Amino acid sequence: MILKPNEENIIKAAGALIKGDIVAFPTETVYGLGGDATNPIAVSKIFEVKERPSFNPLIVHITNFEQFEKVAVVTDDRVKLLVNKFWPGPLTVVLPKRDVIPDIVTAGHETVAVRMPANEIARKLIDQSGKPIAAPSANAFGFLSPTKAEHVEKQLGGKIEIIIDGGNSSVGVESTIVEFRDEKSILLRPGGLAIDEIEKVVGPVEHKSQNTAKPKAPGMLLHHYAPKVKIHFINEADLSAVNKLRTAVLAFDNSRSYSEFHVNKILSETGELHEAAANLFKHLHTLENEDIDLILVEKVPETGLGIAIMDRLSKAANRYR
Ligand code: TXA
Ligand code: MG
């Protein structure tokens, strides 16, 4: 059930978390499906509801630095500088884990992914529960991430009792994930915080190769984030073979017209990448509900948040190759 984010409902949702149930809640990136990160039974419910493979570890959400040190070993000065600058916000750091975090959260890794979200509803919920909250994106595994309560309801509504409504997610793509080990920093997933912003603080960040069958981040799987309708890049499609009346176009900006297609959506009229990111999953959810056979999407410039947008679109298109 979708619930308004008032105090009564947040107390109710926190109560559910404390007893080991799971709850969907808004964050500034995408909606999360949360459970008490210290309770392996609660965490197992997350995997079950998402139908997520157990080799995929979860991000632990916290609201303060004391809680951060309780779940992860924070000795690296680069990490301290980075989180001081960008938390709360769309940044996840992967560090050695502490014992309170059970193996099911980290899929047996000795490291844990941690994020301090900025969304006020998420923060109230986590604070009220008094627990670190493990939460993947609140979608069925492999499908579009939710940026509205209705998106969660559409995919998981029959399986969860509480969905807290926080309106549209303001960032619209998942957090950027960086692992810190030895002297290195490694990008595991591009996301809502641009990589160049991170590099200004910690120096060069290594980009891991993505072609692995059992990756550390499902964001690193070759296909993921897919709408139910086939999706291709428009510049790679043979337009003469396309039935335009059964096709949608998702354009980056308003520089071209696609009025001959059944539907068209624009990520950002002015070609602004933050706005494009915020609209990405919202438009894809709308388009996958249309009576069409194909979504054609324009590429966006691969700078700043454009890197995360192209990562999501490429993985969606890969599913249908
Ligand atoms: O913005 C976000 O990060 C959202 C919101 C809800 O916070 N969460 C999210 O979670 O995107 P999820 O589960 O959809 O993606 C989490 C990513 C996965 O790619 C997972 O493999 C990676 O984090 N991850 C988690 N723990 C890890 C670890 N110990 N080492 C490497 N990757 C890890
Ligand atoms: Mg996800």
Side-chain angles (χ1 to χ4, degrees), residues 27 29-32 50 52 56-59 61 92 94 106 109 111-113 115 135-137 173-175 177 179 188-189 216-219:
T27 87
T29 57
V30 301
Y31 276 67
K50 272 197 68 131
R52 178 180 175 112
N56 271 323
L58 306 179
I59 296 174
H61 296 69
T92 295
V94 175
T106 66
H109 291 290
T111 54
V112 61
R115 177 163 106 81
S137 50
V173 290
E174 294 86 346
S175 59
I177 307 178
E179 175 165 4
L188 298 182
R189 178 178 71 188
K216 275 200 165 174

